[in-house]
Amino acid sequence: MSYPQIEHHGAKDGVTGSCHQLDMNATTSLLVDCGLFQGDDASIPGGEGGSRLPIDFPLDTIKALVVTHVHIDHVGRIPYLLAAGFEGPILCSEASAKLLPIVLEDAFKLSFSRDQQRIERYIDIVESRLVALPYQHWFTLVDTDELNARTRLQRAGHIIGSAYVEIDLDYPQAGESKRIVFSGDLGAPHAPFLMPPQPPERADILVLESTYGDRLHEDRQTRRQRLEAVIEQALQDQGTVLIPAFSIGRTQELLYELEEIIHTRSVGASSLANVLPSETVPASSASVGASLLANNNSDHLPLPPGERAGVRGRETMPENGITSESAGVRGKEASPAISNDAEQPPLPLRERVGERGQKTAENHSPDQSTTNWPKLPIILDSPLASRFTAAYRELKPFWNQEARDRVQSGRRPLAFEQLITIDSHSDHQRIVNHLAQTARPAIVIAGGGMCSGGRIVNYLKAMLGDKRHNVLFVGYQAKGTPGHAIQSYGPKGGYVDLDGERFNIRAGISSIGGYSAHADQNGLVEFVTGMQQWPTEIRVVHGEEKAKRELAAVLEQRYVVSGKLLTLHA
């Protein structure tokens, strides 16, 4: 057998569960990511719902694990990998080394034990295995007469710490060498905090993600305006805007841009107050939130101030010991949602169907007198997201220049005055009940990006049936997840199954594609064609069949036009 060889243990026929094994020779291999399967990917194909959690491949040749980034679909099976006997180092970027213990602590609680002593021992083991690599730094994996192997990480622009992986293999006895690149998840330009990815100089073999390989994103440069417009329209319905958000990356980007909207509106209101007589300054009849902590009328009870969670969780534990927004399998807090994502029969038209449906920012523009943004409560209800947000604040050296300049000017993009963080389960339940009963205008960012678990599920169960509320999706919704069902069928007056109970969807449903943390088709193609030496072999992974197929077709066409040879696996 000739080497190198690549085996895919996940994300080959779907979007989640990324796990790829690079066999460098018969006795030495490298594992790139070990992620959790989600949605339809979580069941063994043809296996009647069997779980894909166990590690079903031998570990004897695997010398190290390289983590491209800390999203759960790339690292969620690491507890199972360790339990299966893997004892090698875990290589990742310096920022990922800060974030990974938080993710794996949460994964361990969900999968193995909530005993704090066991958790701490486990995290100590993880931290002892971590090897934090600076970007652009070559790290030697193997150095023998038969094989020289080294790897380095480059910025991927997906979330803080994300990387694509370059691996150089040299076979001295055979006089051959290869460079293999694993893209991980590539980001798109104009993301808050992040510098965009730059293509590698060259690759012989490229393993390329294709999450959005069949589409182009909306203009990311204007996404803040679209976010503002969608929220304005939603708040005109006199209810709450629910944003299901992934704890890492998406939540912090949303906070960053909400702070910008509030800052801009505050500056505008201040300027208006300086040029108009005080009695003519709009009082904003929708005073949405009035005062965050001091509004004591019967309709708008004061919201709890919340607490900022500790970075590790050892320092600050909520009253019930639960720090994960996805720990609902242990109780009512956020029990797992079951989605019926099959074709749904048409339901009777409701009052809102045909009047609201799927709203887009192009249908309206912000009305300066509609929403009192400086007084609007922004509620972050996810202990895990709060911990990551605190960690993000400690990772300022990895922010891009724009974000660092904002901090230097005295602003706090991740800790602004209107932000309320909810930690304890009791405060979470109070907020859900309060907003469901009063429909108080507010923005809630709750953990559970695909609505398959986390605190967002409780909000959805309480509020999906009320047309005053709105759900805003800013991230990818995998098939088979409740989020995909809500996004697909909500605008049609459909339903979703949560905890085995059917909930009709009367709330407004909106989506903003420009918030995807993944590169779109153009970005993926440019990653390939931006190399000085294009790959001669490309393996398209991490995408639904349509996305992989369309990306592969575009790549093949570019190679034909350029007169280059390509072996393509999709």
Side-chain angles (χ1 to χ4, degrees):
M1 178 184 292
S2 61
Y3 291 96
Q5 296 286 327
I6 299 176
E7 304 173 67
H8 303 286
H9 305 303
K12 181 177 182 292
D13 301 312
V15 181
T16 63
S18 287
C19 186
H20 313 283
Q21 184 173 347
L22 174 65
D23 296 315
M24 297 180 278
N25 61 24
T27 60
T28 309
S29 66
L30 180 71
L31 201 63
V32 179
D33 288 337
C34 193
L36 192 69
F37 292 99
Q38 297 172 296
D40 286 351
D41 297 342
S43 297
I44 299 172
E48 299 182 356
S51 170
R52 299 180 72 177
L53 282 174
I55 301 300
D56 57 359
F57 49 89
L59 306 179
D60 54 312
T61 67
I62 300 175
K63 304 306 180 184
L65 166 67
V66 180
V67 169
T68 61
H69 66 287
V70 301
H71 274 153
I72 199 71
D73 62 324
H74 288 255
V75 301
R77 277 190 289 165
I78 289 179
Y80 295 89
L81 184 69
L82 298 181
F86 174 71
E87 297 182 348
I90 301 173
L91 313 179
C92 62
S93 72
E94 293 171 303
S96 289
K98 176 78 173 179
L99 300 171
L100 186 59
I102 305 175
V103 177
L104 294 185
E105 177 183 332
D106 186 64
F108 186 85
K109 289 177 183 177
L110 291 176
S111 304
F112 291 96
S113 172
R114 304 195 68 81
D115 177 80
Q116 191 61 26
Q117 288 188 339
R118 287 192 65 189
I119 292 169
E120 292 191 13
R121 287 198 299 270
Y122 166 72
I123 294 301
D124 286 341
I125 291 172
V126 169
E127 291 181 335
S128 70
R129 303 276 189 88
L130 288 177
V131 178
L133 301 180
Y135 289 121
Q136 302 180 344
H137 172 78
W138 284 108
F139 177 85
T140 300
L141 295 166
V142 181
D143 188 7
T144 68
D145 292 340
E146 181 183 351
L147 172 66
N148 296 320
R150 61 179 187 164
T151 186
R152 71 177 173 183
L153 305 180
Q154 304 278 24
R155 295 179 187 273
H158 180 61
I159 63 171
I160 279 188
S162 61
Y164 64 83
V165 183
E166 295 180 294
I167 302 161
D168 272 2
L169 302 179
D170 184 33
Y171 301 91
Q173 296 175 351
E176 297 179 352
S177 63
K178 292 281 186 180
R179 174 169 290 185
I180 300 94
V181 174
F182 291 83
S183 73
D185 285 355
L186 297 173
H190 312 297
F193 302 109
L194 303 176
M195 288 170 266
Q198 298 296 323
E201 177 185 352
R202 64 182 181 87
D204 296 299
I205 303 171
L206 171 64
V207 179
L208 179 65
E209 69 119 325
S210 59
T211 312
Y212 284 101
D214 59 342
R215 70 197 76 177
L216 303 178
H217 292 325
E218 301 172 57
D219 181 7
R220 292 174 63 91
Q221 295 187 28
T222 61
R223 70 182 193 173
R224 181 179 64 80
Q225 288 81 4
R226 296 198 308 278
L227 174 68
E228 183 176 358
V230 168
I231 291 175
E232 284 279 7
Q233 178 64 36
L235 291 173
Q236 288 178 15
D237 295 329
Q238 298 300 303
T240 298
V241 179
L242 303 177
I243 305 179
F246 300 94
S247 297
I248 317 169
R250 201 67 46 80
T251 290
Q252 292 74 35
E253 290 189 12
L254 281 168
L255 294 178
Y256 183 92
E257 299 215 327
L258 287 169
E259 188 273 342
E260 172 65 14
I261 295 171
I262 291 169
H263 174 78
T264 302
R265 289 300 188 92
S266 298
V267 171
S270 175
S271 299
L272 188 63
N274 289 333
V275 299
L276 293 178
S278 59
E279 64 269 21
T280 63
V281 177
S284 181
S285 59
S287 188
V288 288
S291 169
L292 294 184
L293 303 175
N295 186 343
N296 291 312
N297 64 49
S298 59
D299 292 331
H300 287 172
L301 296 174
L303 298 173
E307 298 176 357
R308 297 200 179 279
V311 174
R312 279 287 297 276
R314 299 183 187 180
E315 303 82 8
T316 304
M317 293 291 289
E319 59 190 25
N320 61 356
I322 297 175
T323 59
S324 166
E325 84 271 23
S326 57
V329 292
R330 309 299 197 269
K332 293 183 179 179
E333 173 177 333
S335 46
I338 303 170
S339 169
N340 182 352
D341 208 16
E343 189 65 32
Q344 302 192 47
L347 297 180
L349 290 176
R350 301 190 182 89
E351 179 181 352
R352 76 169 185 87
V353 177
E355 296 178 5
R356 290 170 57 194
Q358 185 93 16
K359 297 187 294 291
T360 61
E362 290 74 22
N363 296 333
H364 47 76
S365 58
D367 179 353
Q368 292 284 346
S369 64
T370 299
T371 301
N372 188 352
W373 279 90
K375 298 296 184 181
L376 179 67
I378 312 296
I379 301 167
L380 176 58
D381 192 351
S382 167
L384 189 60
S386 295
R387 293 175 65 192
F388 283 120
T389 301
Y392 259 60
R393 292 198 298 269
E394 297 180 10
L395 292 170
K396 289 187 183 71
F398 296 94
W399 294 13
N400 62 20
Q401 192 59 49
E402 176 192 89
R404 293 199 299 268
D405 289 345
R406 188 172 294 189
V407 172
Q408 287 294 321
S409 71
R411 290 164 58 185
R412 298 181 297 166
L414 295 180
F416 48 94
E417 183 180 357
Q418 292 80 5
L419 179 62
I420 301 169
T421 60
I422 304 300
D423 191 357
S424 74
H425 179 61
S426 60
D427 278 351
H428 161 68
Q429 291 287 18
R430 285 182 58 201
I431 288 289
V432 172
N433 294 337
H434 174 65
L435 295 177
Q437 292 167 10
T438 66
R440 174 180 183 170
I443 298 172
V444 175
I445 302 171
M450 296 186 189
C451 306
S452 54
R455 290 185 172 182
I456 190 63
V457 176
N458 286 338
Y459 286 98
L460 294 171
K461 290 162 67 174
M463 301 164 75
L464 267 181
D466 188 336
K467 65 181 182 180
R468 295 174 295 179
H469 301 302
N470 284 262
V471 181
L472 173 59
F473 289 102
V474 294
Y476 179 80
Q477 303 300 308
K479 285 186 176 180
T481 63
H484 186 270
I486 295 169
Q487 187 180 52
S488 300
Y489 303 115
K492 305 172 185 177
Y495 60 82
V496 64
D497 291 344
L498 303 171
D499 290 343
E501 182 179 355
R502 182 156 294 175
F503 293 85
N504 292 330
I505 304 170
R506 295 185 175 91
I509 308 299
S510 302
S511 299
I512 300 180
Y515 271 84
S516 172
H518 288 268
D520 63 5
Q521 185 184 89
N522 283 344
L524 295 169
V525 172
E526 289 171 3
F527 185 77
V528 176
T529 59
M531 299 184 198
Q532 295 179 23
Q533 177 185 316
W534 293 12
T536 54
E537 179 181 346
I538 298 177
R539 293 170 173 257
V540 180
V541 298
H542 200 288
E544 295 174 0
E545 283 304 315
K546 180 174 179 291
K548 292 195 296 183
R549 184 174 61 252
E550 293 194 13
L551 176 61
V554 173
L555 287 171
E556 286 183 320
Q557 180 61 27
R558 292 295 295 272
Y559 270 74
V560 169
V561 170
S562 300
K564 300 179 185 296
L565 298 177
L566 173 65
T567 301
L568 188 65
H569 308 274

Tab-separated table of all heavy atoms in Angstrom, residues 21-61:
chain	number	residue	atom	x	y	z
A	21	GLN	N	-8.499	10.611	9.703
A	21	GLN	CA	-7.245	9.968	10.087
A	21	GLN	C	-6.294	9.949	8.900
A	21	GLN	O	-6.622	9.420	7.839
A	21	GLN	CB	-7.516	8.541	10.586
A	21	GLN	CG	-6.266	7.827	11.098
A	21	GLN	CD	-6.596	6.484	11.739
A	21	GLN	OE1	-7.762	6.196	12.016
A	21	GLN	NE2	-5.579	5.670	11.970
A	22	LEU	N	-5.127	10.539	9.093
A	22	LEU	CA	-4.086	10.553	8.072
A	22	LEU	C	-3.087	9.450	8.402
A	22	LEU	O	-2.332	9.552	9.374
A	22	LEU	CB	-3.389	11.914	8.033
A	22	LEU	CG	-2.180	12.025	7.094
A	22	LEU	CD1	-2.609	11.855	5.633
A	22	LEU	CD2	-1.459	13.360	7.293
A	23	ASP	N	-3.104	8.401	7.613
A	23	ASP	CA	-2.133	7.311	7.769
A	23	ASP	C	-0.864	7.708	7.029
A	23	ASP	O	-0.832	7.741	5.792
A	23	ASP	CB	-2.698	6.002	7.208
A	23	ASP	CG	-3.923	5.530	7.976
A	23	ASP	OD1	-3.890	5.559	9.213
A	23	ASP	OD2	-4.920	5.157	7.319
A	24	MET	N	0.178	8.000	7.798
A	24	MET	CA	1.430	8.463	7.199
A	24	MET	C	2.297	7.302	6.738
A	24	MET	O	3.033	7.415	5.762
A	24	MET	CB	2.167	9.347	8.208
A	24	MET	CG	1.366	10.604	8.555
A	24	MET	SD	2.166	11.716	9.734
A	24	MET	CE	1.740	10.920	11.292
A	25	ASN	N	2.236	6.192	7.463
A	25	ASN	CA	2.800	4.922	7.016
A	25	ASN	C	2.046	3.816	7.756
A	25	ASN	O	1.028	4.086	8.399
A	25	ASN	CB	4.326	4.847	7.221
A	25	ASN	CG	4.733	4.976	8.680
A	25	ASN	OD1	3.959	4.695	9.593
A	25	ASN	ND2	5.973	5.405	8.902
A	26	ALA	N	2.526	2.617	7.697
A	26	ALA	CA	1.773	1.492	8.253
A	26	ALA	C	1.653	1.546	9.763
A	26	ALA	O	0.740	0.941	10.335
A	26	ALA	CB	2.419	0.173	7.829
A	27	THR	N	2.553	2.270	10.429
A	27	THR	CA	2.547	2.259	11.900
A	27	THR	C	2.295	3.620	12.524
A	27	THR	O	2.242	3.735	13.754
A	27	THR	CB	3.910	1.747	12.415
A	27	THR	OG1	4.956	2.617	11.942
A	27	THR	CG2	4.166	0.323	11.944
A	28	THR	N	2.119	4.646	11.707
A	28	THR	CA	2.027	6.007	12.236
A	28	THR	C	0.899	6.763	11.552
A	28	THR	O	0.850	6.840	10.319
A	28	THR	CB	3.345	6.771	12.003
A	28	THR	OG1	4.440	5.997	12.473
A	28	THR	CG2	3.317	8.099	12.746
A	29	SER	N	0.008	7.321	12.365
A	29	SER	CA	-1.085	8.118	11.802
A	29	SER	C	-1.377	9.306	12.704
A	29	SER	O	-0.939	9.374	13.861
A	29	SER	CB	-2.342	7.263	11.619
A	29	SER	OG	-2.873	6.850	12.864
A	30	LEU	N	-2.132	10.232	12.158
A	30	LEU	CA	-2.516	11.469	12.852
A	30	LEU	C	-4.022	11.617	12.728
A	30	LEU	O	-4.588	11.416	11.649
A	30	LEU	CB	-1.815	12.664	12.202
A	30	LEU	CG	-2.095	14.058	12.783
A	30	LEU	CD1	-1.437	14.209	14.156
A	30	LEU	CD2	-1.582	15.135	11.829
A	31	LEU	N	-4.672	11.963	13.822
A	31	LEU	CA	-6.111	12.191	13.812
A	31	LEU	C	-6.360	13.700	13.772
A	31	LEU	O	-5.779	14.456	14.557
A	31	LEU	CB	-6.756	11.588	15.056
A	31	LEU	CG	-8.266	11.300	14.986
A	31	LEU	CD1	-8.573	10.270	13.909
A	31	LEU	CD2	-8.772	10.828	16.344
A	32	VAL	N	-7.206	14.138	12.843
A	32	VAL	CA	-7.575	15.551	12.739
A	32	VAL	C	-9.039	15.676	13.142
A	32	VAL	O	-9.933	15.220	12.425
A	32	VAL	CB	-7.357	16.090	11.314
A	32	VAL	CG1	-7.777	17.562	11.240
A	32	VAL	CG2	-5.894	15.932	10.908
A	33	ASP	N	-9.264	16.239	14.313
A	33	ASP	CA	-10.587	16.448	14.901
A	33	ASP	C	-11.233	15.123	15.327
A	33	ASP	O	-10.893	14.043	14.808
A	33	ASP	CB	-11.529	17.206	13.970
A	33	ASP	CG	-11.167	18.671	13.832
A	33	ASP	OD1	-10.503	19.200	14.743
A	33	ASP	OD2	-11.549	19.304	12.818
A	34	CYS	N	-12.161	15.243	16.268
A	34	CYS	CA	-12.925	14.088	16.735
A	34	CYS	C	-14.258	14.626	17.247
A	34	CYS	O	-14.470	14.791	18.453
A	34	CYS	CB	-12.164	13.339	17.827
A	34	CYS	SG	-12.842	11.699	18.191
A	35	GLY	N	-15.155	14.928	16.293
A	35	GLY	CA	-16.345	15.696	16.610
A	35	GLY	C	-17.597	14.872	16.825
A	35	GLY	O	-17.692	13.696	16.451
A	36	LEU	N	-18.578	15.520	17.394
A	36	LEU	CA	-19.861	14.914	17.718
A	36	LEU	C	-20.779	14.962	16.498
A	36	LEU	O	-20.819	15.956	15.770
A	36	LEU	CB	-20.506	15.673	18.876
A	36	LEU	CG	-21.709	15.044	19.566
A	36	LEU	CD1	-21.283	13.809	20.348
A	36	LEU	CD2	-22.357	16.059	20.513
A	37	PHE	N	-21.517	13.875	16.287
A	37	PHE	CA	-22.544	13.863	15.257
A	37	PHE	C	-23.797	14.548	15.790
A	37	PHE	O	-24.175	14.375	16.952
A	37	PHE	CB	-22.883	12.429	14.851
A	37	PHE	CG	-21.775	11.724	14.141
A	37	PHE	CD1	-20.942	10.837	14.815
A	37	PHE	CD2	-21.549	11.931	12.783
A	37	PHE	CE1	-19.922	10.178	14.165
A	37	PHE	CE2	-20.527	11.270	12.123
A	37	PHE	CZ	-19.712	10.398	12.810
A	38	GLN	N	-24.473	15.316	14.935
A	38	GLN	CA	-25.678	16.034	15.326
A	38	GLN	C	-26.760	15.848	14.272
A	38	GLN	O	-26.478	15.546	13.121
A	38	GLN	CB	-25.374	17.538	15.501
A	38	GLN	CG	-24.374	17.825	16.609
A	38	GLN	CD	-23.949	19.284	16.639
A	38	GLN	OE1	-23.340	19.776	15.703
A	38	GLN	NE2	-24.278	19.975	17.711
A	39	GLY	N	-28.027	16.042	14.696
A	39	GLY	CA	-29.140	15.939	13.770
A	39	GLY	C	-29.230	14.556	13.151
A	39	GLY	O	-29.028	13.533	13.823
A	40	ASP	N	-29.540	14.492	11.851
A	40	ASP	CA	-29.674	13.205	11.167
A	40	ASP	C	-28.362	12.431	11.155
A	40	ASP	O	-28.360	11.203	11.017
A	40	ASP	CB	-30.142	13.428	9.715
A	40	ASP	CG	-31.608	13.824	9.640
A	40	ASP	OD1	-32.299	13.763	10.680
A	40	ASP	OD2	-32.063	14.216	8.550
A	41	ASP	N	-27.235	13.120	11.276
A	41	ASP	CA	-25.932	12.444	11.261
A	41	ASP	C	-25.715	11.574	12.493
A	41	ASP	O	-24.836	10.711	12.493
A	41	ASP	CB	-24.791	13.473	11.212
A	41	ASP	CG	-24.811	14.315	9.947
A	41	ASP	OD1	-25.463	13.898	8.979
A	41	ASP	OD2	-24.181	15.383	9.946
A	42	ALA	N	-26.496	11.810	13.557
A	42	ALA	CA	-26.217	11.168	14.845
A	42	ALA	C	-26.587	9.692	14.860
A	42	ALA	O	-26.172	8.964	15.769
A	42	ALA	CB	-26.956	11.900	15.965
A	43	SER	N	-27.369	9.221	13.905
A	43	SER	CA	-27.760	7.816	13.855
A	43	SER	C	-26.959	7.085	12.789
A	43	SER	O	-26.631	7.636	11.740
A	43	SER	CB	-29.251	7.680	13.559
A	43	SER	OG	-30.027	8.260	14.590
A	44	ILE	N	-26.648	5.834	13.067
A	44	ILE	CA	-25.921	5.020	12.096
A	44	ILE	C	-26.816	4.790	10.883
A	44	ILE	O	-27.962	4.363	11.023
A	44	ILE	CB	-25.531	3.663	12.722
A	44	ILE	CG1	-24.618	3.890	13.936
A	44	ILE	CG2	-24.850	2.768	11.697
A	44	ILE	CD1	-24.335	2.637	14.719
A	45	PRO	N	-26.338	5.108	9.687
A	45	PRO	CA	-27.165	4.902	8.500
A	45	PRO	C	-27.654	3.456	8.418
A	45	PRO	O	-26.859	2.524	8.450
A	45	PRO	CB	-26.226	5.239	7.337
A	45	PRO	CG	-25.201	6.165	7.940
A	45	PRO	CD	-25.024	5.680	9.354
A	46	GLY	N	-28.977	3.286	8.346
A	46	GLY	CA	-29.545	1.951	8.281
A	46	GLY	C	-29.477	1.195	9.582
A	46	GLY	O	-29.775	0.000	9.635
A	47	GLY	N	-29.098	1.879	10.652
A	47	GLY	CA	-28.910	1.189	11.926
A	47	GLY	C	-30.032	1.379	12.900
A	47	GLY	O	-29.861	1.168	14.095
A	48	GLU	N	-31.198	1.774	12.435
A	48	GLU	CA	-32.389	1.932	13.269
A	48	GLU	C	-32.115	2.803	14.474
A	48	GLU	O	-32.449	2.481	15.611
A	48	GLU	CB	-32.920	0.562	13.708
A	48	GLU	CG	-33.332	-0.328	12.538
A	48	GLU	CD	-33.902	-1.658	12.994
A	48	GLU	OE1	-33.914	-1.913	14.216
A	48	GLU	OE2	-34.314	-2.434	12.123
A	49	GLY	N	-31.470	3.936	14.217
A	49	GLY	CA	-31.286	4.916	15.278
A	49	GLY	C	-30.121	4.652	16.201
A	49	GLY	O	-29.985	5.281	17.238
A	50	GLY	N	-29.250	3.703	15.850
A	50	GLY	CA	-28.115	3.408	16.707
A	50	GLY	C	-27.193	4.608	16.868
A	50	GLY	O	-26.998	5.383	15.939
A	51	SER	N	-26.585	4.759	18.046
A	51	SER	CA	-25.748	5.921	18.330
A	51	SER	C	-24.407	5.823	17.621
A	51	SER	O	-23.840	4.737	17.472
A	51	SER	CB	-25.526	6.031	19.841
A	51	SER	OG	-24.547	7.011	20.127
A	52	ARG	N	-23.870	6.973	17.219
A	52	ARG	CA	-22.548	7.021	16.588
A	52	ARG	C	-21.527	7.634	17.535
A	52	ARG	O	-20.517	8.168	17.098
A	52	ARG	CB	-22.619	7.813	15.287
A	52	ARG	CG	-23.563	7.208	14.265
A	52	ARG	CD	-23.606	8.010	12.979
A	52	ARG	NE	-22.392	7.877	12.192
A	52	ARG	CZ	-22.224	8.449	11.003
A	52	ARG	NH1	-23.183	9.186	10.476
A	52	ARG	NH2	-21.095	8.306	10.342
A	53	LEU	N	-21.812	7.581	18.837
A	53	LEU	CA	-20.875	8.149	19.802
A	53	LEU	C	-19.610	7.310	19.992
A	53	LEU	O	-18.517	7.857	20.097
A	53	LEU	CB	-21.570	8.333	21.156
A	53	LEU	CG	-22.499	9.539	21.271
A	53	LEU	CD1	-23.224	9.500	22.611
A	53	LEU	CD2	-21.727	10.836	21.139
A	54	PRO	N	-19.692	5.984	20.093
A	54	PRO	CA	-18.490	5.201	20.393
A	54	PRO	C	-17.405	5.369	19.335
A	54	PRO	O	-17.686	5.630	18.162
A	54	PRO	CB	-19.004	3.758	20.438
A	54	PRO	CG	-20.469	3.873	20.706
A	54	PRO	CD	-20.894	5.128	20.009
A	55	ILE	N	-16.157	5.205	19.766
A	55	ILE	CA	-15.020	5.219	18.849
A	55	ILE	C	-14.908	3.825	18.244
A	55	ILE	O	-14.602	2.847	18.939
A	55	ILE	CB	-13.724	5.597	19.594
A	55	ILE	CG1	-13.865	6.968	20.240
A	55	ILE	CG2	-12.534	5.561	18.643
A	55	ILE	CD1	-14.140	8.107	19.286
A	56	ASP	N	-15.187	3.719	16.957
A	56	ASP	CA	-15.268	2.403	16.313
A	56	ASP	C	-14.091	2.145	15.383
A	56	ASP	O	-14.183	1.351	14.458
A	56	ASP	CB	-16.588	2.262	15.557
A	56	ASP	CG	-16.788	3.355	14.505
A	56	ASP	OD1	-15.890	4.215	14.393
A	56	ASP	OD2	-17.826	3.344	13.820
A	57	PHE	N	-12.967	2.826	15.632
A	57	PHE	CA	-11.788	2.605	14.810
A	57	PHE	C	-10.588	2.374	15.727
A	57	PHE	O	-10.531	2.884	16.844
A	57	PHE	CB	-11.528	3.778	13.865
A	57	PHE	CG	-11.550	5.133	14.529
A	57	PHE	CD1	-10.394	5.684	15.070
A	57	PHE	CD2	-12.731	5.864	14.617
A	57	PHE	CE1	-10.406	6.932	15.667
A	57	PHE	CE2	-12.759	7.113	15.210
A	57	PHE	CZ	-11.600	7.655	15.750
A	58	PRO	N	-9.606	1.584	15.284
A	58	PRO	CA	-8.442	1.281	16.134
A	58	PRO	C	-7.575	2.513	16.375
A	58	PRO	O	-7.475	3.390	15.513
A	58	PRO	CB	-7.697	0.203	15.356
A	58	PRO	CG	-8.137	0.359	13.944
A	58	PRO	CD	-9.552	0.866	13.994
A	59	LEU	N	-6.941	2.544	17.531
A	59	LEU	CA	-6.138	3.699	17.929
A	59	LEU	C	-4.644	3.406	17.950
A	59	LEU	O	-3.848	4.308	18.252
A	59	LEU	CB	-6.560	4.168	19.331
A	59	LEU	CG	-8.044	4.462	19.561
A	59	LEU	CD1	-8.270	4.892	21.017
A	59	LEU	CD2	-8.544	5.525	18.607
A	60	ASP	N	-4.257	2.193	17.630
A	60	ASP	CA	-2.876	1.779	17.882
A	60	ASP	C	-1.850	2.574	17.098
A	60	ASP	O	-0.704	2.730	17.546
A	60	ASP	CB	-2.717	0.280	17.590
A	60	ASP	CG	-3.191	-0.103	16.204
A	60	ASP	OD1	-4.292	0.306	15.821
A	60	ASP	OD2	-2.451	-0.824	15.497
A	61	THR	N	-2.214	3.102	15.920
A	61	THR	CA	-1.221	3.846	15.131
A	61	THR	C	-1.313	5.362	15.328
A	61	THR	O	-0.447	6.090	14.847
A	61	THR	CB	-1.393	3.556	13.625
A	61	THR	OG1	-2.641	4.098	13.164
A	61	THR	CG2	-1.352	2.063	13.344
